[in-house]
Amino acid sequence: MRSVSNKRFQKGINLEIYTRSEMKAMPRNKADGKEVDKFTTYIIATKELSLGVVKVVSFLVIFVAGVILGLAASAHVTRYITSSHNDLFFQSQNFLGRKSFVNPTYLQHSMTDDGLFWMASMVPKKDAYPYNRVPKVAFMFLTRGPLPLRPLWEKFFHGHEGLFSIYVHALPGYESHVSNMSAFYGRQIPSQDVQWGSVTMLDGERRLLANALLDFSNERFVLLSESCIPIYDFTTVYKYLIGSPHSFVESNDDPSRYGRGRYSLFMYPYIKLPQWRKGSQWFEMNRALALHIISDSEYYSIFSKYCTPTCYPDEHYLPTYINMFHGGMNENRTLTWVDWSKRSPHPATYGRYDITEGFIQSLRNNGTDCSYNSKRTSVCYLFARKFAPDALEPLLNISSTVMKF
């Protein structure tokens, strides 16, 4: 009896527990059911809202990241364009502004030779200029370092600003310390190593030409060394150069071992022996011919490959190339007097004790005549070399009485 009673008692307890749990889970009435539905809907809505917020936040994060990356890329492109613009048209110049092409005052850039020659070879098809163009003479100094005769040149240039430009090609790393009042201030161009007798000498010449061509006002181009001097005043030199349609590049058919003897058969058939020429390294040319020189790749490559010691590219490339293609543009003579009377690979050098009024007068009027604009003239040389650094003082002393500057 006791076990039966216990079973009934346990059963009653289980029933009571079940009933209570059921009563908690089930709504007591319709109002309670509606409350449960609202609660469920609220939970679902809350979850959906949370997911929506997460999506919105994720979108905003991605959007902001994209904006930041876009701004960074834009800044990089701007810097690249600005840097490229500075390289090509010099710092502080306006890309479309006239100053980019007329009298650029900042000569430093990071262009390679190929990029420089490409830029310099650009030629406007329209003949007329959209401004009052005053033609200038570009004086290009190919030097290893200092210009010991610079004070003489400064005296020569003084008072003629706007009619000339100066370009100096020195060895890489060389820094010239001149006053900002000097005509040579800031006129050094980006350079590379130049070795006598090698094609690098020709590279230096072409590099000077290309940099000078970037100034559209430069019409005539004169190659000079640190040992060159002017033997006439600036006005005479300027009128002589600007007044001629021809260039002045020496180009001779020399049958000796110093001329035809340096010809290489490997140049055939592009360059034939009868076309081979020799001439002075020191030239003067007009803008049209200068453009042809820096635009040539084919014949320059032949010379750089086959004109090796004892063939000197600076004595043969221009004379041969111009003879082959542009002879009609050339007077076939140099304007720089040099004394080759001594049997030496280098010309005679004149120092302090050689400088007299009579000596300089003999260079100005040496008894010979030459062709100028199809007429004969006794003014055949405008410059002379080689002069030692100690010749500066006596040259300055006689410059006003003899050279007239």
Side-chain angles (χ1 to χ4, degrees), residues 184-196:
F184 288 83
Y185 180 76
R187 304 310 298 176
Q188 199 166 317
I189 67 169
S191 63
Q192 296 185 30
D193 187 32
V194 171
Q195 297 294 330
W196 180 81

Side-chain angles (χ1 to χ4, degrees), residues 169-353:
H169 186 294
L171 291 180
Y174 173 76
E175 296 182 6
S176 61
H177 300 284
V178 298
S179 166
N180 58 6
M181 301 299 292
S182 171
F184 288 83
Y185 180 76
R187 304 310 298 176
Q188 199 166 317
I189 67 169
S191 63
Q192 296 185 30
D193 187 32
V194 171
Q195 297 294 330
W196 180 81
S198 74
V199 74
T200 59
M201 185 76 76
L202 184 57
D203 293 336
E205 296 176 12
R206 284 158 51 93
R207 203 172 292 123
L208 279 164
L209 276 175
N211 277 277
L213 280 166
L214 293 178
D215 185 341
F216 279 25
S217 292
N218 287 330
E219 183 62 29
R220 311 295 298 207
F221 304 81
V222 184
L223 181 67
L224 302 158
S225 75
E226 71 274 14
S227 65
C228 287
I229 66 167
I231 57 177
Y232 284 93
D233 62 283
F234 182 89
T235 302
T236 300
V237 171
Y238 180 84
K239 289 182 177 180
Y240 195 100
L241 297 178
I242 297 297
S244 176
H246 299 102
S247 296
F248 298 87
V249 182
E250 191 175 56
S251 177
N252 300 321
D253 183 7
D254 183 353
S256 74
R257 63 188 181 95
Y258 301 108
R260 289 198 175 198
R262 294 175 178 174
Y263 171 79
S264 171
L265 291 175
F266 290 105
M267 296 181 176
Y268 186 87
Y270 303 100
I271 302 173
K272 302 176 176 65
L273 181 58
Q275 298 171 320
W276 185 256
R277 293 293 184 272
K278 179 187 177 182
S280 171
Q281 174 187 7
W282 313 105
F283 62 77
E284 189 285 327
M285 63 180 62
N286 59 23
R287 188 174 186 89
L289 183 55
L291 285 165
H292 286 301
I293 298 304
I294 61 101
S295 300
D296 170 55
S297 296
E298 182 179 3
Y299 290 88
Y300 165 80
S301 298
I302 293 173
F303 271 84
S304 63
K305 191 173 183 179
Y306 300 117
C307 187
T308 56
T310 58
C311 174
Y312 303 108
D314 56 282
E315 293 183 4
H316 295 282
Y317 169 70
L318 288 181
T320 301
Y321 178 77
I322 293 172
N323 172 63
M324 292 176 64
F325 301 107
H326 308 291
M329 302 172 67
N330 188 30
E331 284 280 12
N332 193 23
R333 62 185 177 90
T334 180
L335 297 179
T336 303
W337 179 89
V338 184
D339 182 3
W340 287 103
S341 61
K342 297 182 178 180
R343 303 296 294 178
S344 170
H346 303 284
T349 300
Y350 294 90
R352 170 187 294 272
Y353 300 106

Side-chain angles (χ1 to χ4, degrees), residues 384-399:
R385 67 184 300 266
K386 294 175 70 169
F387 291 84
D390 66 357
L392 175 62
E393 184 178 352
L395 285 169
L396 287 173
N397 291 337
I398 65 172
S399 62

Side-chain angles (χ1 to χ4, degrees), residues 328-389:
M329 302 172 67
N330 188 30
E331 284 280 12
N332 193 23
R333 62 185 177 90
T334 180
L335 297 179
T336 303
W337 179 89
V338 184
D339 182 3
W340 287 103
S341 61
K342 297 182 178 180
R343 303 296 294 178
S344 170
H346 303 284
T349 300
Y350 294 90
R352 170 187 294 272
Y353 300 106
D354 300 305
I355 307 304
T356 64
E357 290 189 10
F359 174 65
I360 300 300
Q361 287 288 11
S362 70
L363 303 182
R364 290 161 56 94
N365 303 290
N366 58 11
T368 62
D369 62 355
C370 53
S371 174
Y372 177 77
N373 291 351
S374 301
K375 297 179 180 179
R376 306 308 294 178
T377 179
S378 61
V379 180
C380 299
Y381 297 108
L382 303 179
F383 314 99
R385 67 184 300 266
K386 294 175 70 169
F387 291 84

